[in-house]
Amino acid sequence: MKGRVTTKASVKWIPFLCVFCFALGILFSNRLWDSSAEPNGQQFLSLRRNEQELQVINDGSGTNKNLPQNKDVMNEVLKTHEAIQSSRSLDKSIAVLQTQLAESKSSQEMSLKSSAAVSTLSRDGSPKQKVFMVIGINTAFSSRKRRDSVRETWMPQGEKLVQLEREKGIVVRFMIGHRLDSEDEGSGDCPLPLSSLPPHCFLFLSLSATSNSILDRAIDSEDSQHKDFLRLEHVEGYHELSAKTKTFFSTAVAKWDAEFYVKVDDDVHVNLGMLASTLARHRSKPRVYIGCMKSGPVLAQKNVKYHEPEYWKFGEEGNKYFRHATGQIYAISKELATYISLNQPILHKYANEDVSLGAWFIGLEVEHIDDHSMCCGTPPDCAWKAQAGEVCVASFDWSCSGICKSVERIKFVHEKCGEGDGSVWSAVF
C-alpha cells in the first residue's frame, strides 16, 4: 500500500517538474545570451559572414573541375572591360579634339573678322569708303582706244561716274601699273619678262616701277581728264597678269570697304545693273567666287598660247586644270579679297592669271558660282537672250578671249545687248 501511494504522488508532480525545468531553461539561456552578445548585433553578423564564407568554400571545393573554364570566362570579361575602357578613352580623346578644332576655327574666324574690322581704315589712316562693289578694268598702256570705247558705252563718265559711286556704291576704275623706260628694259642683266629675274634685280625694278616714263605721263594726263584710273605698284607685262591681279585686290581692299571686288578686261561688254543684281543675290554668303567656271587642258607644249611651264604639277600629260572662272570677268566676295591681300607674298603664280586665282582658293571653304550670264557671246547670242528677257551680265567672243576688234564692235554689242542707260540707276540691291 505504501509503495503504491508513493508512486502515485510522484506521478502527480511530473507536470510541475516539467514546467519548472522549462522556465529554468529559458531563464538560463537568456542570461547566457545577454552575457555573450556583442553590441549592435556584431556577433550575429560575424556568424552570418562565417557561414557565407564556408558556403563559398564548399561551393568552390565542389566545382574545382570547372576552374579552367571559369578562368577563360574571367579573361574574356577582363578583355571586354578593357575594350570598353579603351572605347570610352577614345571617345573622350575625339571629343577633346573636336573641341580644340572648333576653338581653332572660331579663333581663325574671329581673327579674320578682327582684321576686316581693323581694315576699315585706309593706308593713310583715313576711314575707307564703304561701297557695294569695286570693278577693276584691266588695261594696258597701248589700249587708249579700248578705254575710250568702254567710256562711250557701258562705263559712266565724269559726274555720272561720281554719282554712281555715291548713290549706288559702284566704283569703276581702269587699273594699270607702271612701265619701265625703254632704255631700262634691256639694262644690265635684268631683262624682261620678269618671271625669272635674279634677286639683285628687284631693287632696280622697284625703283624703275615708279619712274616717270613717257607712257606713265600719258596715263597721268588721261587720268587728270577722266579721273577713272587706279594706279598699282606693279610693273606691267603680259606674263605678269597674275601678279597684277594680286596687286589689284590688295590695293582695292586697302582703299575701299566693298562687299564684292570684280575684275574685267577692257574688251568685254558689261551691263552694270545686271552685274549688281547678280552679285546681290549672293551677298549673304561669306566666301563666294562667281564667274563662268571652266576646266581647260594643261598645255605642256612650248611656244603655244597659254603654255603652262609647271604642267607636271597637274598630273599626267593631257590632264585638265581644276575648275576656275574664266579670266574675262569674275567677282569675289570681301573675305576672299582680304585673304589675297593678307597672303599676297606667299600665293603662287601660274602662267595664266585665271588659273592662279582658282589655285589660291583650292583648300579654302569657298563656294564656286557658275553663272553663264557672265560669258554670253556677242550678237546674235546676247541679243536673243535680251529679247527673251534674260539680259546678260557680260558679253564677249570666246575665239578672241574678248570682243573681236572691240574698238569697232563694242558699240554694236552695246546697242543689241545693252540693258539701257537707266537700268543701273533703277536697280535695287
Side-chain angles (χ1 to χ4, degrees):
M1 293 293 292
K2 289 182 180 179
R4 292 179 181 177
V5 173
T6 303
T7 302
K8 291 182 180 179
S10 58
V11 170
K12 292 180 180 179
W13 285 99
I14 288 174
F16 295 100
L17 290 173
C18 290
V19 172
F20 175 78
C21 291
F22 178 76
L24 185 64
I26 291 175
L27 179 62
F28 178 78
S29 61
N30 285 342
R31 287 182 178 181
L32 181 63
W33 174 262
D34 291 339
S35 62
S36 63
E38 295 179 356
N40 299 325
Q42 291 181 359
Q43 183 180 11
F44 175 76
L45 294 177
S46 299
L47 292 173
R48 291 292 299 168
R49 190 179 298 112
N50 292 335
E51 290 176 0
Q52 292 175 354
E53 290 176 355
L54 290 174
Q55 183 67 30
V56 170
I57 292 173
N58 292 332
D59 292 343
S61 62
T63 57
N64 284 337
K65 59 183 179 180
N66 295 327
L67 282 178
Q69 182 178 358
N70 291 341
K71 288 182 178 179
D72 293 339
V73 173
M74 288 301 298
N75 288 335
E76 292 298 325
V77 171
L78 289 174
K79 289 180 180 180
T80 304
H81 179 72
E82 291 175 356
I84 294 173
Q85 293 298 325
S86 300
S87 176
R88 291 177 179 175
S89 177
L90 181 60
D91 290 341
K92 290 181 180 179
S93 300
I94 293 174
V96 170
L97 289 175
Q98 289 176 338
T99 302
Q100 292 176 348
L101 180 61
E103 290 175 354
S104 176
K105 184 177 180 181
S106 176
S107 176
Q108 290 177 355
E109 291 179 351
M110 291 187 65
S111 176
L112 185 59
K113 290 179 180 179
S114 63
S115 65
V118 172
S119 67
T120 56
L121 296 180
S122 61
R123 290 175 178 173
D124 59 3
S126 59
K128 290 195 296 187
Q129 181 182 359
K130 189 171 182 60
V131 297
F132 176 64
M133 66 176 172
V134 175
I135 303 173
I137 306 174
N138 185 34
T139 190
F141 286 97
S142 59
S143 300
R144 173 64 190 262
K145 291 183 178 180
R146 282 188 180 182
R147 291 192 291 273
D148 287 339
S149 67
V150 169
R151 293 183 181 113
E152 293 170 3
T153 53
W154 63 268
M155 178 181 178
Q157 300 182 65
E159 182 58 33
K160 285 189 176 181
L161 185 65
V162 177
Q163 183 181 359
L164 183 68
E165 183 176 326
R166 183 178 61 249
E167 296 182 5
K168 308 301 289 186
I170 299 176
V171 177
V172 187
R173 296 287 189 275
F174 290 105
M175 58 167 175
I176 195 168
H178 297 274
R179 178 77 174 183
L180 296 180
D181 288 324
S182 58
E183 61 269 20
D184 291 335
E185 293 184 6
S187 283
D189 56 350
C190 298
L192 296 177
L194 311 177
S195 55
S196 57
L197 290 176
H200 70 275
C201 292
F202 286 104
L203 177 60
F204 162 75
L205 290 177
S206 64
L207 295 174
S208 300
T210 56
S211 64
N212 194 20
S213 67
I214 296 175
L215 294 175
D216 279 316
R217 290 196 296 270
I219 293 296
D220 292 338
S221 175
E222 187 179 346
D223 188 30
S224 65
Q225 178 184 355
H226 296 283
K227 301 186 184 305
D228 55 6
F229 277 91
L230 176 63
R231 300 304 298 270
L232 307 177
E233 295 180 5
H234 167 77
V235 178
E236 288 289 333
Y238 177 77
H239 296 285
E240 299 303 315
L241 291 179
S242 295
K244 185 176 183 179
T245 300
K246 287 197 297 184
T247 305
F248 161 64
F249 286 123
S250 299
T251 305
V253 166
K255 190 174 179 64
W256 292 284
D257 181 17
E259 295 184 50
F260 294 96
Y261 297 84
V262 183
K263 178 262 177 182
V264 60
D265 290 338
D266 60 4
D267 55 354
V268 173
H269 180 269
V270 178
N271 285 315
L272 290 176
M274 285 301 301
L275 176 60
S277 300
T278 299
L279 298 185
R281 294 199 296 268
H282 306 291
R283 69 194 314 172
S284 62
K285 303 171 184 177
R287 293 171 297 278
V288 287
Y289 173 32
I290 309 170
C292 287
M293 300 295 163
K294 65 174 185 177
S295 179
V298 180
L299 301 179
Q301 301 83 2
K302 293 184 178 180
N303 302 320
V304 297
K305 193 176 183 181
Y306 307 127
H307 165 63
E308 179 56 72
E310 298 180 88
Y311 61 89
W312 59 274
K313 290 185 177 181
F314 298 91
E316 301 298 327
E317 187 174 350
N319 281 358
K320 291 185 176 182
Y321 288 112
F322 41 78
R323 288 284 174 182
H324 61 278
T326 185
Q328 286 82 359
I329 180 173
Y330 50 76
I332 61 175
S333 57
K334 176 180 178 178
E335 283 196 22
L336 294 182
T338 303
Y339 171 81
I340 294 175
S341 177
L342 294 175
N343 297 280
Q344 180 180 358
I346 60 173
L347 294 177
H348 184 70
K349 297 176 294 182
Y350 289 100
N352 300 301
E353 164 244 347
D354 52 356
V355 173
S356 295
L357 185 74
W360 299 337
F361 301 148
I362 292 292
L364 302 182
E365 287 293 340
V366 176
E367 182 175 353
H368 290 57
I369 307 295
D370 186 14
D371 192 333
H372 284 260
S373 69
M374 298 178 71
C375 55
C376 295
T378 56
D381 180 46
C382 58
W384 290 341
K385 292 177 180 177
Q387 291 174 3
E390 299 178 0
V391 179
C392 293
V393 172
S395 302
F396 56 88
D397 297 307
W398 283 102
S399 59
C400 298
S401 298
I403 298 176
C404 299
K405 298 180 179 180
S406 64
V407 174
E408 294 82 12
R409 295 185 63 240
I410 194 170
K411 289 184 180 179
F412 172 71
V413 175
H414 186 64
E415 291 173 358
K416 297 295 183 179
C417 305
E419 62 188 352
D421 295 337
S423 296
V424 67
W425 303 102
S426 60
V428 178
F429 50 86

